[in-house]
Amino acid sequence: MAKVKTSYFCQNCGYQSPKWLGRCSSCGEWNTMVEEIIQKAEPEKGRWRPASAGPNLAARPKAITEIDYSEQPRVLTPDAELNRVLGGGIVPGSLVLIGGEPGIGKSTLMLQIALNLPGIRVLYVSGEESDQQIKMRAERLGTNSANCFILTETSTQNIFKQIENFEPDLLVIDSIQTLQSNLVESGAGSVSQVRECTAELMKFAKESGTPVFMIGHITKDGNLAGPKVLEHMVDTVLQFEGDRHLAYRILRTTKNRFGSTSELGIYEMQGSGLRQVSNPSEILISQREDALSGITIGTMLEGNRPLLIEIQSLVSIATYGTPQRSSTGFDAKRLNMLLAVLEKRGGFRLGAQDVFLNIAGGLKVEDPAIDLAVCASLVSSYEDIAIPASVCFAAEVGLGGEVRAVNRIENRIAEAEKLGFKEIWVSRYNAKGLNLDQYKIRVRTASKLDEVFISLLR
Ligand SMILES: [Zn+2]
């Protein structure tokens, strides 16, 4: 029996050091180094169980012209939102991490997908719940499948033993933090365990061509629990977000070796599981009869998809000391910049006002194309003049109060038209290349903020 070997791991970034450090020399965090036992037992031989590395005879340099390449067919799931965030379906042999806060619905999402894949043998490995609990969840979802198999197990060696006999077409791991490899002695959920188990799953996925989905819990500050290194190891990282008290959930791609990283899927959590929301603008814009001051509609792009979103603001005289600035779903610095532009270029006395800004639906928007909608919302609330509900905006605002062009304006206009808006405000520079007569929606153009307000706030 060899001497017990330990090493120190940064719990934030996964950095390994032979001795304890007060401050991680990789990510700079303090007090994150934790001692973990890494003594490796002699590996059992098996198809995917790592054996000691032998001489690798297979690899030799190849001319790039010699390599034949044909795109492997992806597996299309019945879930169009999932297909979209994956970049067009499940890639064979890919390792996908689904991160999210506890209780947000990751297990529900994965079980629902596992139950709805006709003709595909799915092995759902759970270290979190008993098989009865999973069955209960499946009953609630109201779907059943003879192709979905449940295994409650946490040892990777035992899981791979089952896989060798069972040969699934798709493997789901719920969750990576519960898995334990006997090659590493530290407890489940520790950095070295998570890393070793992920490496074993990666090897299995690549060598067998079986896609693997693994669930990972994230901590309160939004990081994947334990190591950032996990994100570097997998092919695709999907974040499942949303407020657990609200019905809407967002599935967002943050890393994808097989597609774009700006895609977004939207679901509604119902008693019977997650419902795909195929026309998100309808839920992001509140149904209202009367126009209210402070409410405007802007356009944003998420990946290839234009969305129309509602911006709400409340501007009122600050009664207690320093005026408050509060923004939800929109960058607070950008809000301050736009307020300064309105004050300086538009002459609106916003300095002594409390300002609250909210993006409806719990979305976080980074697209600068909603600037004009934000400005219009602020001014509408300040002046207490409602902007008609049939008007929307798609332009960036510069420091000089100029209305700037945004990308993919045609898509934004087309989406607004599709949703029945009567009027959209865009930058004059954006309109130059467009044939405005082709639209049923009235495309209004401006190069300065004043032109917009003079027209809307008479
Ligand atoms: Zn670190």
Side-chain angles (χ1 to χ4, degrees):
M1 185 77 183
K3 190 165 150 267
V4 175
K5 211 182 150 212
T6 65
S7 194
Y8 292 85
F9 288 90
C10 170
Q11 302 296 306
N12 183 47
C13 71
Y15 176 75
Q16 186 179 358
S17 158
K19 60 180 197 324
W20 187 83
L21 301 168
R23 182 173 188 243
C24 170
S25 49
S26 172
C27 67
E29 287 291 312
W30 290 89
N31 290 327
T32 55
M33 303 301 284
V34 171
E35 184 175 24
E36 291 178 7
I37 303 163
I38 51 159
Q39 184 195 34
K40 293 214 168 187
E42 191 52 38
E44 256 181 278
K45 271 214 165 236
R47 205 161 144 206
W48 289 298
R49 279 166 275 167
S52 53
N56 191 350
L57 300 173
R60 63 175 179 83
K62 266 187 203 165
I64 194 157
T65 50
E66 267 179 57
I67 302 170
D68 26 87
Y69 166 79
S70 52
E71 187 150 0
Q72 286 166 298
R74 295 183 180 224
V75 179
L76 280 180
T77 71
D79 184 336
E81 302 295 301
L82 179 75
N83 293 340
R84 176 184 311 109
V85 294
L86 289 173
I90 304 172
V91 176
S94 61
L95 181 57
V96 179
L97 174 67
I98 298 196
E101 284 171 33
I104 201 84
K106 300 183 295 293
S107 300
T108 305
L109 177 69
M110 283 323 300
L111 188 61
Q112 192 171 329
I113 290 162
L115 289 169
N116 285 300
L117 286 171
I120 291 178
R121 276 156 68 86
V122 182
L123 183 61
Y124 190 104
V125 180
S126 178
E128 303 264 346
E129 294 175 308
S130 69
D131 27 13
Q132 283 89 357
Q133 281 172 307
I134 298 169
K135 176 70 182 169
M136 255 169 61
R137 192 190 287 275
E139 290 290 323
R140 272 207 308 277
L141 294 175
T143 36
N144 225 328
S145 162
N147 277 326
C148 179
F149 294 79
I150 307 296
L151 173 66
T152 46
E153 177 61 75
T154 55
S155 152
T156 55
Q157 277 71 22
N158 292 345
I159 292 168
F160 287 127
K161 226 174 266 174
Q162 294 300 325
I163 286 174
E164 277 170 35
N165 303 325
F166 182 76
E167 297 190 338
D169 302 318
L170 178 78
L171 178 65
V172 178
I173 301 289
D174 183 7
S175 64
I176 185 67
Q177 276 103 351
T178 59
L179 288 196
Q180 213 159 0
S181 164
N182 63 20
L183 301 188
V184 175
E185 280 194 12
S186 59
S190 66
V191 174
S192 44
Q193 272 298 355
V194 165
R195 188 151 68 172
E196 172 63 27
C197 296
T198 307
E200 288 176 18
L201 288 168
M202 189 65 164
K203 189 167 152 59
F204 161 69
K206 294 300 162 208
E207 289 181 7
S208 66
T210 311
V212 179
F213 282 80
M214 46 184 215
I215 292 175
H217 300 302
I218 61 170
T219 53
K220 284 197 193 73
D221 50 353
N223 291 318
L224 284 156
K228 265 241 166 305
V229 76
L230 196 58
E231 294 181 39
H232 300 300
M233 293 172 79
V234 301
D235 295 311
T236 302
V237 180
L238 305 179
Q239 289 273 16
F240 202 42
E241 300 169 354
D243 191 323
R244 54 192 295 182
H245 305 293
L246 295 176
Y248 296 106
R249 298 286 185 277
I250 293 165
L251 189 63
R252 188 190 294 276
T253 322
T254 57
K255 168 185 177 179
N256 195 357
R257 286 190 180 139
F258 310 111
S260 143
T261 54
S262 48
E263 294 296 348
L264 188 85
I266 300 181
Y267 296 88
E268 183 183 1
M269 182 62 94
Q270 295 180 328
S272 59
L274 291 153
R275 181 183 72 89
Q276 304 168 43
V277 176
S278 44
N279 188 0
S281 296
E282 276 176 11
I283 61 149
L284 296 172
I285 297 171
S286 61
Q287 312 298 320
R288 59 198 157 107
E289 302 278 293
D290 309 317
L292 278 172
S293 72
I295 294 181
T296 55
I297 309 295
T299 67
M300 66 181 278
L301 281 181
E302 274 289 347
N304 292 321
R305 188 154 65 150
L307 299 181
L308 271 83
I309 47 163
E310 182 173 303
I311 294 137
Q312 306 170 336
S313 62
L314 188 65
V315 177
S316 65
I317 295 169
T319 355
Y320 306 102
T322 322
Q324 296 187 60
R325 300 278 184 263
S326 159
S327 129
T328 311
F330 187 70
D331 183 37
K333 280 186 192 151
R334 193 142 189 108
L335 171 62
N336 282 332
M337 186 206 97
L338 293 175
L339 287 169
V341 169
L342 289 172
E343 178 114 27
K344 178 91 178 168
R345 311 288 172 192
F348 298 101
R349 306 280 305 276
L350 295 161
Q353 308 279 332
D354 283 339
V355 176
F356 303 95
L357 185 82
N358 180 35
I359 307 286
L363 280 183
K364 288 187 189 68
V365 187
E366 280 163 14
D367 189 341
I370 70 160
D371 283 359
L372 184 57
V374 169
C375 287
S377 161
L378 294 168
V379 171
S380 156
S381 176
Y382 175 76
E383 299 280 358
D384 203 18
I385 299 175
I387 288 177
S390 58
V391 176
C392 63
F393 303 88
E396 189 181 339
V397 173
L399 285 177
E402 73 273 25
V403 175
R404 307 175 61 142
V406 293
N407 63 347
R408 321 237 338 228
I409 191 72
E410 297 96 323
N411 298 24
R412 299 176 196 262
I413 296 174
E415 179 73 8
E417 185 175 87
K418 199 172 92 191
L419 291 173
F421 283 86
K422 301 269 183 327
E423 200 171 302
I424 183 167
W425 281 86
V426 304
S427 163
R428 185 157 298 146
Y429 307 101
N430 249 151
K432 272 183 182 157
L434 293 178
N435 171 18
L436 299 182
D437 299 333
Q438 64 178 314
Y439 299 111
K440 279 202 292 290
I441 187 171
R442 183 171 176 211
V443 181
R444 307 282 305 264
T445 64
S447 58
K448 288 269 175 211
L449 275 179
D450 316 357
E451 299 166 37
V452 182
F453 297 147
I454 287 167
S455 166
L456 285 173
L457 303 171
R458 268 171 311 190

